[in-house]
Amino acid sequence: MNIIPRLSIITPCYNSEATLHLTLESVFKQKFQDWEVIIVNDGSADRTEEIALDWVKKDKRFKYFSKENEGLGKTRNFGISKANGTYILPLDSDNLIESDFTLNALKIFEDNPDVGVVHGYAEFFGEREGLWKIDDFDIQKMLVHNYIDACAVFKKELWQKVGGYDQNMPYQGHEDWEFWVSLASINTVFYNLHLITFKYFVSSKSMIHSFNNEMVFLNQDYIMKKHSKLFHEEYSKIFSSREKMDKQIMKKLKSKKFVVDLFCSTFFGFKVFNRSINLKD
């Protein structure tokens, strides 16, 4: 009898022999045990397959697939298409998840049915150390740049709704950014645990360090054009808010008492009419 796992962890691999064992070990040590791991070898030429198959022999929850090299976006989509779980956790083959991450994430989903994504903080290791304190989700900030790593748990049905990770970007490496924007476009609720949920491996050899300014611009341009409606809606909100604030400021500046208090408070540190000075009110 096959038991369907609640969580599918997707681990794409490309020449990952130096890091894969520890990554999979971090899954094995999870307090939450109702999972499967979909390991996808994206055309590696090293011992990645050997290491992956060792884990498959050790525990049947580890499942291995091999294909020709196609890049991270297509490989994640391939892995998720093979997944049986209700929830998905993309886990890069050099990162480590904290032992209580999946337990905490699944509890959030149980208690908050409207939540679609659960993420948290990260701790750097490798060529950098320290805390990566990831902010709560803010669509206007996300449209400027990605600040939430792919290592977050989300509902598989959302991946299906937006068509998965975009495989047509000019350069691979920003698929997770475009994916978060896509989820935001269908009003997905993000939940920040405000806890360290994984360890992020920092290496000068990682894919993102190969990007130059032109490559980044072309990907930004692609995302902006694809989600032009969302960009326009958020820009309109910012413009409207700024316009409203300007009108409030002009209204206050027409008050002689306010102008006198603003001048005295700014240059002499006291107010004549004892009024609160706040241009934003």
Side-chain angles (χ1 to χ4, degrees):
M1 178 178 175
N2 292 325
I3 299 176
I4 298 175
R6 294 173 64 197
L7 173 68
S8 296
I9 300 171
I10 313 301
T11 303
C13 307
Y14 179 69
N15 292 339
S16 305
E17 65 177 7
T19 59
L20 182 59
H21 176 77
L22 289 178
T23 295
L24 299 180
E25 186 176 56
S26 75
V27 177
F28 189 72
K29 292 180 178 179
Q30 287 296 291
K31 294 178 180 178
F32 177 81
Q33 288 289 300
D34 190 7
W35 50 258
E36 66 175 355
V37 177
I38 307 296
I39 308 167
V40 185
N41 186 349
D42 188 32
S44 299
D46 62 359
R47 294 178 55 250
T48 292
E49 180 170 83
E50 178 185 338
I51 295 167
L53 290 176
D54 282 344
W55 279 97
V56 172
K57 292 176 184 177
K58 181 176 182 178
D59 192 313
K60 63 182 180 180
R61 291 174 298 177
F62 291 92
K63 301 171 184 178
Y64 177 74
F65 299 87
S66 181
K67 64 179 187 61
E68 64 181 14
N69 182 261
E70 295 179 295
L72 186 57
K74 287 186 177 181
T75 303
R76 278 196 188 137
N77 284 337
F78 177 89
I80 296 172
S81 72
K82 302 295 182 182
N84 296 301
T86 302
Y87 303 98
I88 301 295
L89 171 59
L91 176 62
D92 291 347
S93 60
D94 53 4
N95 290 340
L96 312 173
I97 49 175
E98 292 294 312
S99 63
D100 57 356
F101 177 26
T102 55
L103 181 67
N104 291 334
L106 270 292
K107 183 68 165 58
I108 294 300
F109 286 119
E110 290 175 0
D111 296 342
N112 305 272
D114 293 337
V115 170
V117 180
V118 177
H119 66 95
Y121 302 158
E123 182 180 348
F124 295 116
F125 77 108
E127 296 178 14
R128 177 181 173 184
E129 295 181 351
L131 174 66
W132 179 7
K133 192 172 182 181
I134 299 170
D135 292 341
D136 293 350
F137 184 82
D138 181 297
I139 182 55
Q140 293 177 357
K141 183 175 180 178
M142 182 59 70
L143 290 177
V144 176
H145 67 95
N146 185 27
Y147 61 95
I148 298 178
D149 189 76
C151 191
V153 183
F154 58 83
K155 294 177 178 176
K156 184 179 179 180
E157 65 185 56
L158 297 176
W159 173 83
Q160 294 169 325
K161 282 183 180 180
V162 300
Y165 289 95
D166 193 307
Q167 299 178 174
N168 300 308
M169 297 187 71
Y171 296 95
Q172 297 189 61
H174 290 122
E175 290 83 2
D176 49 341
W177 180 16
E178 192 282 325
F179 183 65
W180 297 143
V181 174
S182 291
L183 293 191
S185 71
I186 58 171
N187 301 312
T188 299
V189 177
F190 287 67
Y191 188 99
N192 190 342
L193 288 168
H194 298 286
L195 299 168
I196 295 175
T197 56
F198 72 104
K199 289 182 171 62
Y200 181 88
F201 183 64
V202 180
S203 171
S204 57
K205 297 179 181 179
S206 64
M207 178 175 57
I208 202 66
H209 284 100
S210 67
F211 272 59
N212 57 42
N213 290 336
E214 182 182 0
M215 295 164 70
V216 173
F217 170 78
L218 289 173
N219 278 353
Q220 289 174 332
D221 186 59
Y222 178 89
I223 293 171
M224 183 177 293
K225 288 176 179 176
K226 180 176 179 179
H227 298 283
S228 58
K229 181 183 178 187
L230 182 59
F231 273 85
H232 181 267
E233 288 174 352
E234 294 304 320
Y235 175 79
S236 297
K237 290 178 185 178
I238 295 172
F239 181 81
S240 178
S241 176
R242 177 62 184 271
E243 191 174 47
K244 182 179 179 181
M245 185 182 297
D246 288 344
K247 288 179 179 179
Q248 291 173 338
I249 292 173
M250 291 307 297
K251 183 178 179 181
K252 285 195 171 187
L253 289 176
K254 290 179 180 179
S255 166
K256 292 181 180 179
K257 289 183 178 181
F258 179 83
V259 173
V260 171
D261 269 350
L262 180 60
F263 178 83
C264 292
S265 176
T266 301
F267 294 101
F268 303 111
F270 66 88
K271 291 173 282 187
V272 175
F273 300 103
N274 196 30
R275 296 178 59 181
S276 175
I277 307 295
N278 189 345
L279 292 175
K280 294 183 180 180
D281 290 342

